[in-house]
Amino acid sequence: MVMFKVSRVTTSPFDGQKPGTSGLRKKVKVFKQQNYLHNFVQSTFNALSQDKIRGMTLVVSGDGRYFSKDAIQIIIKMAAANGVRSVWVGQNGLLSTPAVSAVIRERVGKDGTKASGAFILTASHNPGGPNEDFGIKYNMENGGPAQEAITDKIYENTKSIKEYIIAEDLPDVDISAIGITNFTGPEGQFDVEVFDSAFDYVKLMKSIFDFQSIQKLLSSPKFTFCYDALHGVGGAYAKRIFVEELGAQESSLLNCVPKEDFGGGHPDPNLTYAKELVACMGLGKSDAKNEPPEFGAASDGDADRNMILGKRFFVTPSDSVAIIAANAVDAIPYFSAGLKGVARSMPTSAALDVVAKHLNLKFFEVPTGWKFFGNLMDAGLCSICGEESFGTGSDHIREKDGIWAVLAWLSILAYENKENLGGAKLVTVEEIVRNHWATYGRHYYTRYDYENVDAGAAKELMAYLVKLQSSLPEVNKIIKGIHSDVSNVAKADEFEYKDPVDGSISKHQGIRYMFEDGSRLIFRLSGTGSEGATIRVYIEQYEKDSSKTGRDSQEALGPLVEVALKLSKMQEFTGRSAPTVIT
C-alpha cells in the first residue's frame, strides 16, 4: 500500500478558460503550459460541493488523443488530493464519450460503488497531435455534461484561482493493465481501477437492440457493410460489437485502430473528412473500384457523432433522427412501449417536427448542446433526440451516441428486410429515406461552415444580422433584390430557450430568419473550435409535394444559399469567398 502526501501549490489564473458547449478546448501547447490543466481541474472540483467530492467515485478517460495519458495521471493525483475515494479509468485511457455516460449510469464497482462524475478528455471531432487540439469536460451523476450553472461556476473559479491541491508523490498508474491499485493518503484509502473499456457499453447496447435480427441481416450475402472509426475511440468498440457480437467480417472495419493523432486525419464524420468511407460508398469524385456496400457509417474522435450512408446515398443528420424516431417503436425493442417525446437542436431541420406532429408526440426545440436534451430526458419527456451536426441519441444515456445511431439504422434495415432476406433484392437505405419523404415531405438542407474566422469579424457579422431584424420590410426588399422568387421573411429573432424543466433561460442561441413558405436561414457562432471563431450558416427549405422531393439538394437550395451569403455580407465581413466545409 503506497502512502501519499497532499501538497498545496500556488498558482495564478489563465485567461479564457471558459468551457464551451462541450467543455474547454484549446491547442495542446496551451494545455501543456505549467499549471494550465491543473487550474481547470481544481476549478472544477471547487465548483462541486465538498460532500459530493469526498468519497466519490470519478471516471477519468477519453478518446486517446495526444496528451491524454499525461492528463489522466495529473487528474488522478489531483483527485486523490481532493478527497475522491476511487478513480475508474478505461483500459489505455480509452472510453468513448457515450461509454463514459453509460459507465456513470450503469457500472457497479467490485465494492458495490457507482460513479457520480467524470472528466472526459476529448476535443471530439477536432484533430489530435502535438500541434492540434485537446479538450476536457466534466459530466455529472446523470451521465450528462455539466449544466450551465456548474460550467459558469467553473469559469468564475478559473478567474480567481490561487492554489490547487495535488498528491505529487503518488506514483503513475499503469493504465494499460486491467486491475485495481490501492493507495493511502491523509483521508484514508484511495483506489484506481483500470477496467475493460467496452464491456459495460456492449452490455447496454445488447439490452436496447435485437442483436439476433441484426446478425441475420449481416449474415445475408446480399447485405454488405462498412464502418469507419476515423482512428478514433470508436475503434475500441467496433470489433467487439460488429465482428464478435454481430458476425460482420473484420474487413468491414476501416481505420479502427485508435491513434493519438487520428492517423493524421480530421476525425469528423462528414462528406469532407471521411474521404475513405465516402469513396468506398460510391460518393467520391471518381467512380468506386468495386460495387459499394449497402450500408456505411462513420463516427468521430470520441464516437459520439455519426454519419449514415447508403450505396451512393448520403443521409442528412436531420433526416436520420426523424427516420429513427418514425421507425423506433417497430424496429428497436427498447422503444416498443412507445416514445415519451422527441427533441432537436434549433439549427437542425424541422423533419423531426413533422414526424412528432404525425405521431402525436411531445416535441421540443432546444439550443445546441447535449445538456439541454439531458434535462428533458431526466424529466421523462424525451426518448429520441438529434442535432444537425451529426449527433443522434436517446435516453439510454445522456450523451449523443455514434455507435447507437449505427445500430439503430441496422435495426431499421433488419426490420424492413425481415421477410425479405431470401428475396431477390433488399430494401435499401435510399428506399427507406425516399419512402419517408413521400410520407412526411422533404426538408432540403445544407450547412456552410466558415472555420477559424477572425473572432472580431465574426461578432461584427452577427451584430449586423441582429440589427437587420429590426425592419423586416427592409430585409424583404434586400432579399427580393437578390432573388425575386424567394419567399418573404415572416419572422426574425435571436433564439432564446426557457427550459421547461428547471426554468433556466439561454439567450443569444442563434439568429433566425423564418420565411412564409417554411424555409429558414440560421446563423450561429460555434463554441467547439479551439482557435478563432466558426460561423455556421444553416439553409433549409420544406417541400410537401412528393413529386418534387427528388430534386438535387444544391439545386433546390441555390436561391436561398445566395440570399444567405449576400444578406449577411459574408465575404465583406470575413474575407472568405467560400466556406471551409459544406454539409
Side-chain angles (χ1 to χ4, degrees), residues 20-152:
T21 53
S22 300
L24 180 68
R25 294 181 187 169
K26 301 286 182 187
K27 290 294 179 191
V28 167
K29 63 179 183 284
V30 174
F31 268 100
K32 279 188 150 186
Q33 294 174 94
Q34 190 174 356
N35 295 350
Y36 189 89
L37 175 64
H38 303 69
N39 278 19
F40 187 80
V41 171
Q42 189 63 56
S43 295
T44 303
F45 281 134
N46 292 349
L48 303 169
S49 61
Q50 276 304 302
D51 58 323
K52 263 192 183 168
I53 298 165
R54 302 221 172 270
M56 82 180 288
T57 296
L58 178 72
V59 183
V60 183
S61 286
D63 61 16
R65 66 180 55 236
Y66 185 84
F67 190 57
S68 293
K69 287 175 179 168
D70 294 340
I72 287 168
Q73 301 296 345
I74 290 167
I75 296 168
I76 288 171
K77 291 174 171 65
M78 292 187 69
N82 276 275
V84 170
R85 169 67 181 77
S86 186
V87 172
W88 291 350
V89 182
Q91 190 174 17
N92 297 311
L94 297 176
L95 279 176
S96 70
T97 293
V100 172
S101 188
V103 164
I104 292 173
R105 296 173 66 82
E106 305 287 336
R107 187 173 195 268
V108 179
K110 288 191 168 56
D111 56 358
T113 54
K114 290 197 75 177
S116 53
F119 282 106
I120 308 181
L121 307 175
T122 178
S124 190
H125 53 292
N126 294 359
N131 300 309
E132 297 295 351
D133 296 353
F134 188 75
I136 180 170
K137 70 171 184 166
Y138 190 79
N139 277 33
M140 305 297 283
E141 57 267 28
N142 71 342
Q147 291 290 334
E148 280 184 348
I150 297 291
T151 56
D152 287 348

Side-chain angles (χ1 to χ4, degrees), residues 47-307:
L48 303 169
S49 61
Q50 276 304 302
D51 58 323
K52 263 192 183 168
I53 298 165
R54 302 221 172 270
M56 82 180 288
T57 296
L58 178 72
V59 183
V60 183
S61 286
D63 61 16
R65 66 180 55 236
Y66 185 84
F67 190 57
S68 293
K69 287 175 179 168
D70 294 340
I72 287 168
Q73 301 296 345
I74 290 167
I75 296 168
I76 288 171
K77 291 174 171 65
M78 292 187 69
N82 276 275
V84 170
R85 169 67 181 77
S86 186
V87 172
W88 291 350
V89 182
Q91 190 174 17
N92 297 311
L94 297 176
L95 279 176
S96 70
T97 293
V100 172
S101 188
V103 164
I104 292 173
R105 296 173 66 82
E106 305 287 336
R107 187 173 195 268
V108 179
K110 288 191 168 56
D111 56 358
T113 54
K114 290 197 75 177
S116 53
F119 282 106
I120 308 181
L121 307 175
T122 178
S124 190
H125 53 292
N126 294 359
N131 300 309
E132 297 295 351
D133 296 353
F134 188 75
I136 180 170
K137 70 171 184 166
Y138 190 79
N139 277 33
M140 305 297 283
E141 57 267 28
N142 71 342
Q147 291 290 334
E148 280 184 348
I150 297 291
T151 56
D152 287 348
K153 209 181 277 187
I154 293 169
Y155 180 47
E156 287 309 310
N157 290 345
T158 68
K159 295 194 284 188
S160 58
I161 189 168
K162 291 184 171 62
E163 66 174 16
Y164 62 82
I165 316 170
I166 190 166
E168 285 179 325
D169 60 346
L170 193 81
D172 282 1
V173 175
D174 179 3
I175 60 172
S176 69
I178 288 174
I180 300 174
T181 311
N182 309 113
F183 303 98
T184 303
E187 296 191 31
Q189 194 168 326
F190 171 71
D191 301 331
V192 178
E193 181 178 353
V194 178
F195 64 99
D196 179 340
S197 301
F199 178 82
D200 301 281
Y201 181 79
V202 174
K203 185 178 164 192
L204 180 60
M205 292 302 106
K206 288 174 80 171
S207 75
I208 294 169
F209 299 102
D210 181 349
F211 271 40
Q212 206 174 352
S213 73
I214 299 173
Q215 204 169 23
K216 283 180 187 165
L217 175 73
L218 290 178
S219 66
S220 165
K222 290 193 289 292
F223 188 80
T224 42
F225 159 77
C226 186
Y227 170 76
D228 188 347
L230 298 172
H231 288 303
V233 74
Y237 303 87
K239 189 177 176 187
R240 289 279 277 279
I241 291 174
F242 299 124
V243 177
E244 293 173 20
E245 293 286 346
L246 294 171
Q249 298 295 314
E250 203 160 340
S251 57
S252 308
L253 307 182
L254 282 178
N255 305 314
C256 279
V257 176
K259 293 187 176 178
E260 287 190 333
D261 65 348
F262 307 110
H266 193 138
D268 197 352
N270 60 38
L271 295 171
T272 301
Y273 295 124
K275 292 184 178 73
E276 201 172 336
L277 177 69
V278 168
C280 171
M281 295 303 296
L283 287 164
K285 285 176 182 165
S286 54
D287 290 337
K289 292 180 184 129
N290 304 309
E291 181 65 10
E294 288 298 322
F295 177 74
S299 57
D300 69 333
D302 64 332
D304 64 348
R305 297 185 181 212
N306 73 92
M307 176 170 69

Side-chain angles (χ1 to χ4, degrees), residues 307-512:
M307 176 170 69
I308 302 296
L309 301 172
K311 184 186 289 188
R312 303 185 186 91
F313 191 82
F314 168 64
V315 184
T316 72
S318 297
D319 278 343
S320 180
V321 67
I323 291 165
I324 292 171
N327 291 278
V329 172
D330 289 334
I332 302 170
Y334 179 84
F335 300 113
S336 58
L339 302 180
K340 298 163 191 166
V342 294
R344 65 166 173 82
S345 66
M346 182 275 286
T348 303
S349 94
L352 186 61
D353 314 33
V354 181
V355 171
K357 195 173 178 185
H358 194 89
L359 300 180
N360 197 25
L361 295 170
K362 285 192 190 86
F363 168 77
F364 302 91
E365 180 181 34
V366 307
T368 297
W370 210 259
K371 56 195 169 193
F372 297 103
F373 295 128
N375 258 12
L376 297 172
M377 289 172 176
D378 285 346
L381 296 171
C382 176
S383 295
I384 289 174
C385 54
E387 297 178 328
E388 50 65 44
S389 53
F390 297 87
T392 326
S394 92
D395 61 351
H396 67 292
I397 55 170
R398 296 297 179 267
E399 288 280 5
K400 49 186 172 257
D401 190 343
I403 290 175
W404 174 90
V406 177
L407 290 168
W409 267 92
L410 286 171
S411 298
I412 293 167
L413 285 160
Y415 178 80
E416 290 292 335
N417 286 292
K418 67 178 187 293
E419 309 297 339
N420 193 33
L421 291 174
K425 185 181 175 295
L426 295 179
V427 177
T428 66
V429 170
E430 182 172 352
E431 284 167 335
I432 288 169
V433 176
R434 292 195 184 280
N435 290 341
H436 182 90
W437 292 340
T439 305
Y440 298 100
R442 181 177 181 183
H443 293 259
Y444 287 101
Y445 187 87
T446 190
R447 184 179 104 186
Y448 280 32
D449 289 5
Y450 295 81
E451 296 176 354
N452 292 328
V453 170
D454 176 79
K459 281 178 184 163
E460 282 175 27
L461 181 145
M462 299 299 276
Y464 169 73
L465 285 166
V466 171
K467 192 177 169 191
L468 260 187
Q469 292 181 341
S470 61
S471 172
L472 290 191
E474 182 60 29
V475 167
N476 286 322
K477 188 177 164 190
I478 294 168
I479 288 170
K480 293 299 178 197
I482 299 166
H483 233 288
S484 59
D485 57 352
V486 167
S487 174
N488 278 333
V489 173
K491 186 185 172 195
D493 65 10
E494 232 184 323
F495 181 58
E496 187 173 293
Y497 177 67
K498 184 176 181 182
D499 193 300
V501 180
D502 64 18
S504 62
I505 293 171
S506 301
K507 299 183 176 185
H508 310 298
Q509 294 297 316
I511 294 163
R512 304 191 293 180

